[in-house]
Amino acid sequence: MTHSYPQEMNDFLNQWPDEDMKDSFLLLAQQLAGYPDVDLDFKARPGVTYSLRGKRQGQSRELMVMIDVIDDDPEARWLSVCFFAEMITDPKEEGDIVPEGLLGHDGYCFDLISSDQEDLDYVAQRIQEAYTAAIS
């Protein structure tokens, strides 16, 4: 399946060598891009983060999910996937609560420092949950 990503994201992906965290990022990005009514935005801050933001059309919040590639060490990038607190649950209590840390609102962030499939599946479930909550 072909996904349409913002050009700035394509540029970033083209310069990011193939490795496990790139694959993890692409897996989550493909999930987001697969929803028919989600708009994607990409913000590049080299040396800090590369941020893919998904927003469901018709939702009142600024975003549904933010997938950040943490770039403080380009040789050891990792992911931080964040949601507004009221849009998801965290039954395994794996997320970090960030009071007023997501665009000035309470959020949950899930840090992925390895490409562990169970962790990816858990975060993918949170994305599905946020998608459902975005306009309910």
Side-chain angles (χ1 to χ4, degrees):
M1 178 178 217
T2 302
H3 299 285
S4 177
Y5 298 122
Q7 184 57 48
E8 197 171 16
M9 181 174 153
N10 287 326
D11 295 344
F12 166 66
L13 291 172
N14 288 334
Q15 64 81 30
W16 188 359
D18 288 338
E19 52 103 358
D20 288 345
M21 291 316 296
K22 180 179 181 180
D23 294 342
S24 297
F25 175 77
L26 282 170
L27 181 76
L28 298 176
Q30 288 167 356
Q31 178 183 357
L32 266 183
Y35 295 121
D37 57 350
V38 169
D39 294 323
L40 301 177
D41 186 36
F42 190 76
K43 307 248 185 254
R45 296 184 305 155
V48 181
T49 63
Y50 292 90
S51 183
L52 177 62
R53 299 170 184 204
K55 179 178 179 177
R56 189 166 181 186
Q57 296 167 5
Q59 82 175 80
S60 59
R61 300 304 297 251
E62 299 93 325
L63 58 85
M64 181 183 79
V65 60
M66 181 168 59
I67 304 170
D68 282 346
V69 178
I70 308 302
D71 192 44
D72 52 355
D73 179 0
E75 300 299 316
R77 290 177 171 142
W78 53 280
L79 306 180
S80 181
V81 184
C82 300
F83 307 87
F84 290 115
E86 72 275 2
M87 293 182 74
I88 65 157
T89 61
D90 184 13
K92 292 184 178 180
E93 298 182 355
E94 292 186 5
D96 294 319
I97 298 172
V98 285
E100 298 181 14
L102 185 58
L103 305 176
H105 299 277
D106 294 347
Y108 273 97
C109 290
F110 298 83
D111 293 342
L112 300 173
I113 57 174
S114 73
S115 58
D116 179 82
Q117 190 61 51
E118 187 175 324
D119 291 344
L120 279 170
D121 290 346
Y122 188 77
V123 169
Q125 290 168 357
R126 307 290 70 79
I127 292 173
Q128 177 62 47
E129 194 173 20
Y131 176 76
T132 301
I135 60 169
S136 58

